[in-house]
Amino acid sequence: MDGVIGHENEELRDRVSSLEKKVQQQDDEIVCLKSALSDAIRRLAALESAPNSARAANALPSRPAIKMAARTGTTPSTGKDSGQGSSPRGSVSNHQTPRQPSPSPGKGPTRSAFQSPAPMKKWPSTPSTTSGEGQATGTVGGSVDENRFPSTPSGRSNSVADGGAQKDLGVADGVLFETPYARRASSSNSFPQNRGPARSNSFSRLKEPTFNPADGCLKFYLRGRPLNFFAPTSLVGSSDYQVNQPNEAPKEKLALDWVYGYRGRDARSNIYLLPTGEVVYFIAAVVVLYNVEEQMQRHYIGHTDDVKSIAIHPDKVTVATGQVAGHDKLEGRPRKKSFEETQEPPPSRKKDKKFQPHIRIWNSISLVTLKVIGIGDFFDRAVSCLAFSKMDGGAQLVAVDEGNEHVISVWDWQKGEKGQRIVETKSSTEPVLAVEYHPCEPHTIVSCGKGQICFWKIEEGSLSRKLGVFEKYEKPKYMTCLAFAENGDVISGDSSGNLFIWGRGTNKVSQAVTGAHEGGVFSICMLKDGSIVTGGKDRKVIRWDATYKKAGQEYEIPDAYGPVRMLSQGKGNMILVGTTKNSILHGSFDLGFSPIVQGHTDELWGLATHPQQNQFLTCGYDKMLYLWDTLTHGVIWSKEMPEGCHCVTFHPEGEVALVTSCSSRWFAVELSSRDVVHSNADASERIEIAEFSLDGNMLACGSRDNNIYIYSVAEGGRKFSKIGKCTGHSSFVTHLDWSRDGQFVQSNSGDYELLYWTVATCRQVTTASSMRDVEWATQNCTLGFSVCGIWPEGADGTDVNACCRSNSEHLVASADDFGKVNLFAYPCSRPKSAGHSYIGHSSHVTNVRFIYNDGRLISTGGKDSSILQWQVVESSGY
């Protein structure tokens, strides 16, 4: 019972989360002292060993501060942070200190024994981005983050009310675009909310970047600690570079083209066929409307966080979707707070209700939001179940909160601007897994969950409840799903594999089919011909006749797609099948079932685009390696790796990919045969990043053991020989790039260092200014002169997880901790540069990559396991 087990451990995770935050708050004070001491000793050692000219140049970059306090939050969610209440869908990460490697003689300056802990902790729960209350965004091929900014650069307002044409978004060729970042002044009150977390007024004391034209050095601050970035020689002594004049936003924008994946692992009742021929389902913060025959997707992206539930109105056009809660009051994420941020915020900033769990009701044809209900303190953690009434034409909507008391509430959703709550009551202290209006009994609602099935009656403004009576039958641990027979009987499935039929108008079992499935029954669907199909943990889809006897047809879903999570009527005699391994299949008993949607099932970090084709690779902690095609939007092939995977990269010839695991091992996989042709485990900890040189003759692997391992490469990426190890980082390596000539590597670490290395000797280049004119083959390092403008004001070193420069070298995209994909002009060398920001991911965005011709951008989510494909489009203006 994968989706249910997390509920039982909820209170334990709450306590663990609370204790962890207290420990980390105390630990961070020690961390800061260690960081400062380590930095001082390292710099002294470098100055003692360097010639006088190098000392004068102040060559080594300063080490940034470590984050000052643990993340905090108010509500659990799927993604990266546990918040005050831990998420039922992920465990709390432990605070980790990077390994202190032994210093190697001649391999860089001597470092202190004290080490700073790794500040780039990724948490198990995160929400998404914002849109205004009563507003929503629907796109046909385009994705936007609406109501993000107070104004455009020209001062035009971007905010409109719902219920009419939405004028805050630019429209070109039928594609809705994201409004660009407002250009920000130095005042902390003027930077746009889309760039990062909300900050208190104490940020007016943040140190501003400074540029010294004489030596071309930009002093840049992360968390109040300075980093020295050296500009190209052409800017030394020049007045062309002004640090207080941000870059303009690029004319190119992004439009959401395709969403890969489906949320079946821990969500239920979430696949339906619309009269338009589209299959509607959700993943992350996106509701997808997928026309399988025409191979087209449309996207509703009005939600600010993970979508958790969906219901279709009897008119088959109106859709209701419920979401989980955001954590941060203004940005929807728990924040790592500095000392200044621990002060009490102004009353005006204490509440932004857009990030509380709520329900959005929208039109599936126009994608316009009709109502937003539940904004306020109505829901605690998430809207876990939704259903429209049947007998009155869908005038009412029932919702179940995922809080401790699992409150069930009934709404007149059409009344007023935000709907009117008719009645609510505490349902149970145990999880509720499904709720439905009875199609034949007026004012009757049926719900089921752990150890219960309840029959509710709305009478005189109150909800009365009757518990289901099992009599001679053993009460199951979980009642997992519901359906209604044509005669009004209620059909329920349970975790023991049984079907119970509850007579119309009663709360007693009238008939039982024991052992219908081996393991739990996860879904029951009434087909148009009056027959019944069920699916369960045994991966079987079974057809039953109207008397609840097997009709002689059953189909076993292949193990690669997992147990059945959801069954729904498709076109004609077709059946839609959602699985717990985040796949959707369609087919029939006669023709079999084939996948139309596939996706990862665990945290996703690895992403690489093919050097010559419209293909990309992804790998995740679910051990799966997928090769995707950006034109057909399908899986070319998949391979299960020996263990969970963290990083992937293509050899420049495009015939071999290197995949790093969650341990210290990495594998070379031949794409044509999918065979592992080489494996290695030289590092003592996980390889965070691996990159081939431009000519494919060298490989660099940056590890969590603070070292970079250099290999020579032969036979097109099939043979490797270790050359040496670059030692000098004081924390784990996060990003690296090769120079175009393959002689140098630049790298970032978990404590915000930017270091340079000579590949032939594996020694650190201690005079950073000497590397100012080196041409880099890629720009994956998030810290550097050419990308300092991608950082939001007041950010720490973990707010930007990845960046990627386009192959044409005039765009750079970034992936941040706030569920957004950002696009900037390259070089983005001026702090506070303007750019475009896009929502869709609900978790921290872990990676971004342009495909080989820069026509599309791929982004990956963390805990949401989603892959979003963006089309790069040009726009003449805003």
Side-chain angles (χ1 to χ4, degrees):
M1 301 297 298
D2 22 325
V4 179
I5 293 176
H7 291 284
E8 295 186 297
N9 299 326
E10 183 178 324
E11 293 183 0
L12 176 61
R13 281 196 293 269
D14 285 348
R15 293 194 295 269
V16 171
S17 176
S18 177
L19 290 173
E20 184 194 42
K21 285 182 285 187
K22 291 179 181 179
V23 170
Q24 190 173 0
Q25 286 171 353
Q26 297 172 356
D27 184 56
D28 281 341
E29 297 178 4
I30 302 173
V31 164
C32 194
L33 295 175
K34 287 183 179 181
S35 174
L37 181 57
S38 175
D39 184 47
I41 294 175
R42 181 167 58 87
R43 290 167 64 85
L44 286 173
L47 290 173
E48 289 173 359
S49 60
N52 292 335
S53 60
R55 297 179 196 178
N58 191 21
L60 286 174
S62 298
R63 174 121 146 257
I66 306 304
K67 56 184 165 185
M68 300 298 295
R71 298 175 183 257
T72 61
T74 60
T75 314
S77 172
T78 302
K80 209 183 63 152
D81 206 305
S82 57
Q84 279 184 351
S86 180
S87 167
R89 286 154 290 175
S91 59
V92 178
S93 317
N94 291 325
H95 185 73
Q96 296 181 352
T97 302
R99 176 181 174 272
Q100 167 66 44
S102 302
S104 302
K107 298 289 184 180
T110 304
R111 294 179 288 113
S112 165
F114 292 108
Q115 290 299 310
S116 64
M120 296 194 69
K121 174 168 60 176
K122 296 303 172 192
W123 294 69
S125 174
T126 126
S128 178
T129 48
T130 72
S131 70
E133 179 179 338
Q135 294 179 332
T137 303
T139 68
V140 185
S143 177
V144 299
D145 176 6
E146 69 172 308
N147 198 27
R148 297 261 104 222
F149 324 111
S151 65
T152 62
S154 62
R156 296 191 301 267
S157 173
N158 293 320
S159 179
V160 298
D162 255 333
Q166 295 169 309
K167 302 297 185 182
D168 58 332
L169 308 174
V171 181
D173 298 328
V175 180
L176 295 174
F177 293 113
E178 167 68 22
T179 310
Y181 287 153
R183 188 179 297 179
R184 292 163 292 166
S186 60
S187 169
S188 64
N189 293 328
S190 63
F191 78 95
Q193 295 176 4
N194 73 302
R195 288 299 311 276
R199 306 290 185 179
S200 68
N201 290 336
S202 64
F203 271 94
S204 61
R205 300 193 297 271
L206 286 173
K207 294 182 179 179
E208 294 294 327
T210 59
F211 181 70
N212 185 351
D215 61 2
C217 179
L218 172 68
K219 190 175 287 294
F220 185 77
Y221 295 90
L222 277 181
R223 280 311 217 198
R225 299 298 298 271
L227 299 171
N228 293 331
F229 300 143
F230 291 93
T233 302
S234 59
L235 295 180
V236 177
S238 170
S239 60
D240 293 341
Y241 181 85
Q242 298 294 327
V243 71
N244 59 350
Q245 295 182 2
N247 287 13
E248 295 285 346
K251 62 180 181 180
E252 293 83 0
K253 297 183 179 181
L254 299 179
L256 185 57
D257 179 37
W258 203 263
V259 176
Y260 300 87
Y262 151 73
R263 184 170 181 172
R265 180 182 54 178
D266 61 349
R268 302 165 185 274
S269 303
N270 59 355
I271 303 175
Y272 298 97
L273 180 70
L274 299 177
T276 57
E278 296 168 308
V279 179
V280 60
Y281 58 94
F282 56 78
I283 182 172
V286 182
V287 185
V288 181
L289 297 93
Y290 177 23
N291 190 312
V292 179
E293 293 181 356
E294 298 180 7
Q295 282 297 295
M296 290 182 60
Q297 281 188 356
R298 297 187 299 144
H299 310 104
Y300 177 80
I301 55 169
H303 283 280
T304 61
D305 205 284
D306 280 292
V307 181
K308 189 67 184 290
S309 55
I310 186 170
I312 309 299
H313 192 274
D315 65 11
K316 303 298 182 183
V317 174
T318 306
V319 179
T321 45
Q323 72 165 64
V324 304
H327 290 191
D328 186 83
K329 294 298 183 186
L330 290 181
E331 188 54 40
R333 340 234 137 313
R335 287 295 305 147
K336 302 156 279 189
K337 294 186 177 180
S338 66
F339 174 77
E340 293 88 349
E341 287 180 284
T342 59
Q343 303 178 67
E344 182 72 11
S348 62
R349 287 195 169 188
K350 285 186 179 180
K351 281 193 176 182
D352 189 326
K353 297 180 179 180
K354 301 180 186 71
F355 299 96
Q356 295 176 348
H358 60 269
I359 304 164
R360 306 185 83 90
I361 302 173
W362 46 281
N363 185 293
S364 63
I365 297 176
S366 64
L367 302 179
V368 170
T369 301
L370 305 175
K371 291 288 175 67
V372 180
I373 64 176
I375 291 288
D377 297 324
F378 294 106
F379 301 107
D380 183 14
R381 293 177 177 168
V383 182
S384 59
C385 304
L386 284 172
F388 282 102
S389 56
K390 306 294 194 302
M391 296 194 68
D392 59 0
Q396 294 180 356
L397 178 71
V398 61
V400 178
D401 183 17
E402 205 175 60
N404 291 333
E405 295 175 336
H406 302 282
V407 173
I408 182 170
S409 57
V410 177
W411 299 77
D412 184 345
W413 66 271
Q414 295 173 320
K415 192 169 185 179
E417 293 183 0
K418 300 179 182 180
Q420 179 177 340
R421 184 173 50 179
I422 300 172
V423 63
E424 71 170 23
T425 187
K426 297 177 183 178
S427 171
S428 170
T429 58
E430 302 293 352
V432 177
L433 304 182
V435 66
E436 292 287 348
Y437 268 92
H438 201 293
C440 305
E441 296 285 333
H443 310 298
T444 300
I445 298 170
V446 184
S447 67
C448 68
K450 184 177 180 181
Q452 59 176 304
I453 180 168
C454 302
F455 300 84
W456 303 85
K457 195 77 172 179
I458 305 174
E459 297 175 323
E460 298 179 354
S462 65
L463 272 171
S464 60
R465 180 181 69 171
K466 289 183 179 180
L467 291 174
V469 179
F470 291 87
E471 296 182 328
K472 63 180 180 180
Y473 301 103
E474 182 180 355
K475 185 178 180 180
K477 185 175 182 180
Y478 288 94
M479 302 295 289
T480 53
C481 53
L482 293 171
F484 297 91
E486 290 183 332
N487 63 0
D489 289 347
V490 179
I491 311 169
S492 66
D494 64 39
S495 56
S496 300
N498 306 316
L499 297 176
F500 290 110
I501 293 84
W502 309 79
R504 177 176 174 177
T506 72
N507 64 332
K508 296 181 180 181
V509 176
S510 62
Q511 187 176 344
V513 181
T514 58
H517 284 268
E518 298 176 8
V521 181
F522 288 166
S523 184
I524 306 171
C525 176
M526 290 293 302
L527 299 181
K528 291 183 291 187
D529 60 7
S531 62
I532 305 165
V533 289
T534 60
K537 191 174 182 180
D538 57 5
R539 296 184 283 108
K540 291 181 180 180
V541 180
I542 303 175
R543 185 192 291 269
W544 309 79
D545 62 23
T547 62
Y548 310 108
K549 294 181 180 179
K550 287 187 178 181
Q553 289 183 307
E554 66 178 63
Y555 185 91
E556 185 171 340
I557 302 297
D559 183 60
Y561 306 118
V564 176
R565 171 63 76 198
M566 171 69 180
L567 295 171
S568 184
Q569 175 76 63
K571 279 190 174 182
N573 64 345
M574 303 289 279
I575 300 172
L576 296 168
V577 182
T579 74
T580 60
K581 287 190 177 180
N582 292 355
S583 297
I584 300 176
L585 300 87
H586 73 158
S588 65
F589 290 101
D590 297 329
L591 302 176
F593 293 82
S594 58
I596 57 174
V597 176
Q598 291 178 259
H600 286 274
T601 59
D602 206 342
E603 190 159 358
L604 179 59
W605 283 84
L607 171 65
T609 52
H610 197 284
Q612 298 100 24
Q613 300 182 35
N614 291 292
Q615 298 174 359
F616 64 94
L617 280 167
T618 58
C619 62
Y621 294 174
D622 57 1
K623 302 183 182 180
M624 294 303 298
L625 175 67
Y626 285 101
L627 179 63
W628 307 84
D629 189 294
T630 63
L631 300 181
T632 64
H633 311 118
V635 176
I636 299 174
W637 56 255
S638 61
K639 177 181 177 64
E640 185 172 359
M641 300 299 292
E643 51 189 297
C645 303
H646 183 75
C647 172
V648 62
T649 186
F650 277 98
H651 186 272
E653 294 181 7
E655 297 179 357
V656 173
L658 186 135
V659 183
T660 73
S661 71
C662 292
S663 66
S664 62
R665 288 204 297 169
W666 55 264
F667 309 92
V669 179
E670 189 176 57
L671 300 184
S672 58
S673 64
R674 306 177 218 174
D675 293 334
V676 175
V677 296
H678 186 91
S679 63
N680 186 287
D682 287 333
S684 58
E685 296 186 43
R686 183 177 74 197
I687 300 296
E688 288 285 327
I689 181 68
E691 292 291 339
F692 287 97
S693 61
L694 192 60
D695 59 11
N697 294 328
M698 305 288 283
L699 171 70
C701 296
S703 172
R704 290 193 72 89
D705 65 12
N706 304 359
N707 300 315
I708 300 173
Y709 296 84
I710 306 295
Y711 300 87
S712 64
V713 183
E715 300 180 10
R718 296 171 178 83
K719 187 176 181 180
F720 301 84
S721 299
K722 183 179 176 181
I723 292 177
K725 178 173 65 174
C726 301
T727 301
H729 273 298
S730 54
S731 184
F732 59 93
V733 182
T734 59
H735 308 88
L736 61 84
D737 296 289
W738 282 90
S739 62
R740 288 192 178 275
D741 58 14
Q743 295 185 23
F744 303 101
V745 167
Q746 66 173 352
S747 57
N748 294 154
S749 67
D751 61 354
Y752 324 155
E753 293 173 313
L754 171 61
L755 301 184
Y756 302 94
W757 312 89
T758 302
V759 173
T761 61
C762 295
R763 299 174 74 96
Q764 182 183 342
V765 180
T766 56
T767 307
S769 58
S770 66
M771 305 296 291
R772 65 170 80 234
D773 293 321
V774 173
E775 294 185 5
W776 300 101
T778 57
Q779 184 60 62
N780 298 326
C781 285
T782 58
L783 295 173
F785 180 80
S786 60
V787 291
C788 64
I790 71 175
W791 290 87
E793 187 173 11
D796 68 17
T798 72
D799 285 340
V800 178
N801 296 317
C803 71
C804 178
R805 185 184 68 196
S806 64
N807 296 286
S808 62
E809 300 187 18
H810 72 279
L811 292 173
V812 60
S814 70
D816 69 25
D817 256 9
F818 316 111
K820 292 185 289 295
V821 175
N822 308 296
L823 188 68
F824 303 90
Y826 185 86
C828 192
S829 55
R830 295 175 179 176
K832 309 176 189 176
S833 291
H836 309 297
S837 182
Y838 302 88
I839 63 173
H841 291 287
S842 59
S843 177
H844 49 293
V845 187
T846 54
N847 216 333
V848 286
R849 287 290 184 269
F850 288 94
I851 65 169
Y852 78 102
N853 62 6
D854 294 339
R856 292 177 177 84
L857 177 76
I858 311 297
S859 61
T860 56
K863 283 290 185 180
D864 65 28
S865 305
S866 65
I867 305 168
L868 303 189
Q869 179 174 303
W870 308 85
Q871 186 176 3
V872 181
V873 294
E874 291 192 8
S875 177
S876 57
Y878 303 137

